[in-house]
């Protein structure tokens, strides 16, 4: 692992790191905030998964999470959204596919299957690296994300309910198999058989019997992607049928941007901290 940069923030340390990923077959970059409480012992880990076109830097620069994470004693890990590099297949003119659009799946179709293995990277490889190099209590983990990353957080939590104490999302793609801006990527990463897409679709995972204790979702009513891409009411219906508690907050006037995310970031951090045992509390 190589340290790219570190900076003191709110008594803790914000770092950016890189390593050669065996899972993705390329160098991967990620950010980690370590709170001041880590001086006294391991801290719980909160994973943040970013959305389409993003890297680790978007939430690190604009998410405004460090003050509250330092107060609550949370390590915040911000991975990249896809493999990158000259040897990695990409479509530079399509922001919904390729670099920046890994969709947190393990691709099965050539030529993407070699590198686009973001599910295994987030679930298996990167946690081992975090455990080895940071003062992390890996028995206490939670996960959240935005848009494509919200989709990733929901699906990863549903498939690994014993690992994560909590899961939340900002404007997630809840039913990517049928959403305009994700179904094309699913077909190209996973093949034409839509049965193979079900394990990466939150609504279909719930339909197929996967469960999680509870979800928190914030969604802006002024989000331009609300009707065609996000459709949180589909998750609401799936959770209702399955008996999964869902706190869905439709926020007047807010769009899809980090102005929206940063506004409600503290609420999400407190919500996770309450379930990780470091304070916090429920949202209104």
């Amino acid at each position: 692992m190589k340290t790219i940069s570190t900076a003191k923030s709110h008594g803790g340390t914000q770092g950016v790191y890189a390593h050669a990923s065996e899972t993705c077959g390329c160098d991967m970059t990620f950010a980690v905030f370590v709170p001041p409480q880590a001086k006294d012992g391991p801290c719980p880990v909160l994973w943040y998964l970013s959305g389409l076109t993003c890297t680790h830097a978007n939430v690190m620069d604009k998410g405004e999470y460090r003050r509250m994470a330092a107060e609550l004693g949370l390590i915040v890990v911000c991975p990249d959204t896809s493999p990158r590099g000259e040897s990695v297949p990409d479509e530079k003119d399509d922001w919904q596919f390729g670099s920046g659009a890994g969709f947190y799946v393990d691709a099965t179709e050539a030529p993407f299957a070699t590198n686009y293995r973001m599910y295994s990277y987030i679930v298996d490889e990167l946690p081992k690296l975090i455990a080895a190099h940071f003062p992390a209590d890996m028995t206490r983990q939670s996960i959240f994300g935005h848009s494509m990353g919200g989709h990733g957080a929901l699906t990863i939590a549903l498939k690994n309910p014993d690992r994560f104490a909590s899961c939340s999302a900002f404007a997630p793609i809840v039913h990517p198999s049928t959403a305009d801006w994700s179904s094309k990527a699913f077909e190209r990463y996973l093949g034409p058989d839509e049965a193979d897409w079900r394990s990466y679709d939150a609504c279909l995972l719930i339909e197929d019997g996967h469960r999680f204790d509870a979800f928190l979702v914030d969604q802006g009513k002024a989000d331009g992607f609300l009707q065609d891409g996000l459709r949180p009411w589909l998750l609401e219906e799936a959770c209702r049928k399955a008996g999964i508690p869902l706190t869905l907050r439709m926020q007047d006037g807010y769009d899809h941007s980090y102005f929206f995310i940063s506004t409600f970031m503290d609420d999400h951090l407190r919500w996770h901290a309450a379930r990780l045992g470091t304070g916090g509390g429920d949202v209104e």
Side-chain angles (χ1 to χ4, degrees), residues 266-280:
D266 282 3
D267 286 355
H268 284 244
L269 292 174
R270 290 192 189 99
W271 195 79
H272 289 294
R275 288 150 181 81
L276 290 165
T278 67

Side-chain angles (χ1 to χ4, degrees), residues 246-266:
L246 168 66
T247 301
L248 173 60
R249 305 193 303 178
M250 300 297 296
Q251 305 290 1
D252 284 332
Y254 285 92
D255 59 16
H256 200 67
S257 72
Y258 270 89
F259 297 113
F260 157 63
I261 296 167
S262 62
T263 299
F264 301 103
M265 178 63 77
D266 282 3

